[in-house]
Amino acid sequence: MEQPKQPSKEEVRRWLRREIEQHKAPPNPEQIRRELGWDLVRLERGAPHKR
């Protein structure tokens, strides 16, 4: 089974650019982590979830 990986900085930049183009206010960091699946990566690695 393939391990999930954290998105690259360039992937995050592309995602943020798309959000900005839609004329929305940038989401909070927790929303960004959720949409990019970082929480899933953290869970896979067994790291505790930060709040």
Side-chain angles (χ1 to χ4, degrees), residues 1 6 9 12-13 18-19 22-23 27 34 37 46 50:
M1 179 168 140
Q6 185 165 334
K9 288 181 182 181
V12 173
R13 288 183 186 119
R18 284 193 308 269
E19 289 293 312
Q22 294 177 13
H23 302 288
R34 199 169 33 254
K50 293 182 182 178

Side-chain angles (χ1 to χ4, degrees), residues 14-45:
R14 280 194 302 266
W15 178 85
L16 187 55
R17 236 180 266 124
R18 284 193 308 269
E19 289 293 312
I20 291 169
E21 287 171 1
Q22 294 177 13
H23 302 288
K24 291 183 189 175
N28 64 32
E30 199 59 37
Q31 177 74 22
I32 293 171
R33 287 184 193 100
R34 199 169 33 254
E35 289 190 28
L36 294 176
W38 287 4
D39 289 335
L40 298 175
V41 171
R42 193 177 298 128
L43 288 173
E44 284 287 323
R45 293 180 180 165

